[in-house]
Amino acid sequence: MKLTAVTIVLLMLLALAAQVFLRYVFGKSLSWSEELALLGFAWVIVITTAIGVRRMTHARMDLMLNVLPASVHQWLEKLIALLLLALGLFITYAGWGYFQETRGSTSAAVGFPIEFLYAAAPAFGVLIALFSFERLMPWAESLDE
């Protein structure tokens, strides 16, 4: 998954660098670079946030967890994973509705199906739910960085 995110970021950077170069050197601009960057940015956020949930490196407050006894600490870790699982399921449900509302639309410049962009929402929910469920398994600590 990290390789996919890195590849998308590199494609975004190339497209935006070409846009800037062409605009300032030749006075011409690309019609598709910003849409490609927006699409790539949405999917990079989905992928990298899901990786953060899987490894528990997402933004959270560890101060209270670290001062608690190990048994309470483990219980709270499971509670956090359950709450993230519920959040992932909610995002999947809401994102699917949003995805359905945008079906059939196309992007303005490129003309790609806009579902490519809005599919990021339910995919995000599914990944968070799956990785949160994985955090509930006995081997979950082996996923930490």
Side-chain angles (χ1 to χ4, degrees):
M1 284 182 73
K2 285 193 307 186
L3 182 60
T4 303
V6 169
T7 303
I8 293 171
V9 168
L10 290 175
L11 290 172
M12 286 171 37
L13 288 173
L14 286 172
L16 292 174
Q19 167 75 351
V20 170
F21 179 77
L22 290 172
R23 181 182 297 150
Y24 289 105
V25 174
F26 296 109
K28 305 279 184 189
S29 62
L30 300 172
S31 62
W32 51 268
S33 63
E34 289 180 33
E35 281 187 6
L36 179 69
L38 176 65
L39 179 66
F41 184 72
W43 281 99
V44 164
I45 294 301
V46 165
I47 293 167
T48 56
T49 304
I51 291 171
V53 168
R54 184 170 196 230
R55 296 180 178 173
M56 291 300 254
T57 57
H58 55 79
R60 64 188 203 148
M61 300 287 291
D62 281 341
L63 181 62
M64 293 298 293
L65 288 175
N66 292 335
V67 297
L68 296 172
S71 61
V72 176
H73 181 85
Q74 290 173 352
W75 182 83
L76 284 175
E77 289 287 348
K78 300 295 183 192
L79 178 63
I80 290 168
L82 281 171
L83 291 171
L84 282 170
L85 174 63
L87 176 66
L89 293 173
F90 173 76
I91 291 172
T92 301
Y93 174 76
W96 183 256
Y98 191 57
F99 171 76
Q100 292 288 60
E101 289 177 15
T102 61
R103 291 195 63 164
S105 300
T106 57
S107 68
V110 179
F112 67 83
I114 206 73
E115 290 100 1
F116 290 159
L117 177 61
Y118 295 118
F124 183 58
V126 167
L127 288 173
I128 286 178
L130 286 174
F131 290 154
S132 297
F133 180 74
E134 185 180 37
R135 296 299 306 181
L136 295 169
M137 297 297 116
W139 65 82
E141 288 184 18
S142 67
L143 301 170
D144 293 345
E145 279 195 348

